[in-house]
Amino acid sequence: MNPFHYAFKVKDIETTRKFYVEILGCEEGRSTENWIDFNFFGNQLSAHVSDDFPKLDYCGKVEGISVPIPHFGCLLEIEEFKSLEQRLIKAKIEFIVKPQKRYEGKIGEQLTMFVLDFSGNPIEFKVYKDSKEVFLG
């Protein structure tokens, strides 16, 4: 797959750097006082400072769980997922959807978890039991 680029709003550079570099382990790229780039698991995130944040909408329903829309995230390998889960717990980051298994025994079985970054952006991390099922349904 090709890496993606995603630009999004954050409240400030300092707490954004702390969350993405210190907690998630992302490599920092270029930055100014108004934006900062990260290598987000092989993808390019570009965080831009803003003071205009829309209210989160938990309109997404997945296996009876409300998830925030919009959100972005990353597909990981099981070892990465478990390691990240432990880093988030150690950093006392609250899960808005606790780590859990979805679609158990079905096509698309996966582990998933959602957190908010320090600007309130929802992020999902997941790992598929069978990576060939990412686009099956």
Side-chain angles (χ1 to χ4, degrees), residues 29-44:
R30 297 178 302 142
S31 67
T32 69
E33 67 273 1
N34 297 315
W35 57 266
I36 185 169
D37 287 345
F38 300 103
N39 177 344
F40 181 73
F41 302 92
N43 301 287
Q44 184 190 44

Side-chain angles (χ1 to χ4, degrees), residues 70-84:
H71 66 263
F72 68 93
C74 192
L75 303 179
L76 303 172
E77 298 295 327
I78 187 70
E79 299 82 18
E80 291 175 302
F81 184 91
K82 292 296 187 181
S83 174
L84 180 58

Side-chain angles (χ1 to χ4, degrees), residues 38-104:
F38 300 103
N39 177 344
F40 181 73
F41 302 92
N43 301 287
Q44 184 190 44
L45 289 186
S46 187
H48 294 260
V49 175
S50 177
D51 58 4
D52 181 20
F53 288 84
K55 183 179 174 200
L56 285 181
D57 185 355
Y58 285 80
C59 66
K61 301 290 183 207
V62 182
E63 282 208 318
I65 296 171
S66 297
V67 298
I69 304 296
H71 66 263
F72 68 93
C74 192
L75 303 179
L76 303 172
E77 298 295 327
I78 187 70
E79 299 82 18
E80 291 175 302
F81 184 91
K82 292 296 187 181
S83 174
L84 180 58
E85 177 184 0
Q86 290 308 306
R87 285 198 317 267
L88 292 166
I89 290 169
K90 184 178 178 183
K92 297 181 175 27
I93 302 299
E94 182 179 346
F95 293 98
I96 56 173
V97 174
K98 292 181 179 175
Q100 61 190 265
K101 190 179 291 186
R102 289 196 295 211
Y103 307 113
E104 189 165 7

